[in-house]
């Protein structure tokens, strides 16, 4: 599967597609722009690879839960450890590849109120 | 972590480096050229993303174990299902990202005689 072609098959933002499965993990691809929601996954790490554009991941993992932002450009990777509150964002837009266990919700298991533009999903099939 | 920079930190072929860990899985990066060895992993699928160059994966998964070759260019992904005999190769060289369970051997658990240029490893740390 060609990732660029697969990204061309949908337009929805913050709405990952399942590009492949590896044992009981998904390889998901997503288009993003603007802000996601603060959330955390109690039981799983989450892997990000920026395929295009730039992704900002705000993290509350500093001393006393202080906030920092990791900026990832194309070709950069980052793992958000389980339990860490984070909020992905992309002011100018980005395309992402994610690895996470099949069934992982986009908004985690603890999250702020979910805005309308964020899809609460465990990933959609690529049509 | 920047994948291009990380790939610049080693030269060894067929000798994956562990770029990140996601739960009990590794994200590995590798430089390859020439042929790997026919092998299979009884208990795990194996994910390939071509970061640069082109990868040929020979597979014995046709009717009667007939052989075919999947050619992956930059930005293409493929999952070799568990149990399927395969032999990665890259006539002109490639850089890869792999996703597989921590501890997975590069030559699987069933393999042909391993040539000297193939590193039998579960992945090295990036120094």
């Amino acid at each position: 599967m060609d990732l660029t072609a697969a990204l061309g098959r949908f337009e929805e933002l913050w709405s990952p597609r399942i590009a492949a499965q590896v044992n009981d993990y998904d390889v998901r691809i997503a288009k993003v722009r603007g802000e996601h929601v603060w959330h955390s996954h109690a039981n799983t790490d989450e892997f990000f690879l920026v395929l295009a554009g730039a992704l900002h991941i705000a993290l509350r993992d500093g001393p006393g839960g202080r906030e920092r932002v990791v900026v990832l450009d194309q070709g950069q990777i980052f793992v958000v450890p389980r339990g860490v509150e984070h909020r992905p964002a992309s002011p100018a837009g980005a395309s992402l590849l994610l690895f996470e266990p099949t069934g992982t919700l986009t908004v985690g298991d603890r999250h702020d109120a979910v805005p309308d533009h964020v899809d609460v999903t465990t990933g959609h099939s690529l049509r």
Side-chain angles (χ1 to χ4, degrees), chain A:
Chain A
M1 174 185 292
D2 186 275
L3 292 178
T4 302
L7 287 162
R9 285 157 63 183
F10 65 100
E11 288 304 325
E12 295 86 346
L13 300 174
W14 302 114
S15 184
R17 267 53 184 170
I18 298 171
Q21 291 197 282
V22 185
N23 303 325
D24 50 354
Y25 278 66
D26 291 345
V27 178
R28 301 183 190 173
I29 54 175
K31 291 177 167 179
V32 304
R33 195 173 55 245
E35 287 191 354
H36 202 258
V37 63
W38 279 103
H39 69 282
S40 62
H41 307 273
N43 299 313
T44 183
D45 304 336
E46 191 169 38
F47 172 88
F48 294 86
L49 163 62
V50 178
L51 297 171
L55 180 69
H56 299 202
I57 306 179
L59 299 156
R60 289 183 180 141
D61 64 353
R66 201 173 310 154
E67 209 172 302
R68 65 179 175 125
V69 178
V70 173
V71 177
L72 303 173
D73 293 314
Q74 184 175 340
Q76 298 191 324
I77 66 174
F78 191 79
V79 176
V80 176
R82 65 183 66 197
V84 170
E85 278 189 285
H86 59 287
R87 188 195 58 198
S90 178
S95 298
L96 311 177
L97 180 146
L98 299 103
F99 289 130
E100 50 199 336
T102 299
T104 301
L105 268 174
T106 46
V107 298
D109 34 62
R110 281 176 64 101
H111 55 79
D112 283 355
V114 178
D116 284 346
H117 69 276
V118 169
D119 186 13
V120 178
T121 177
T122 56
H124 299 277
S125 310
L126 261 175
R127 275 175 252 275

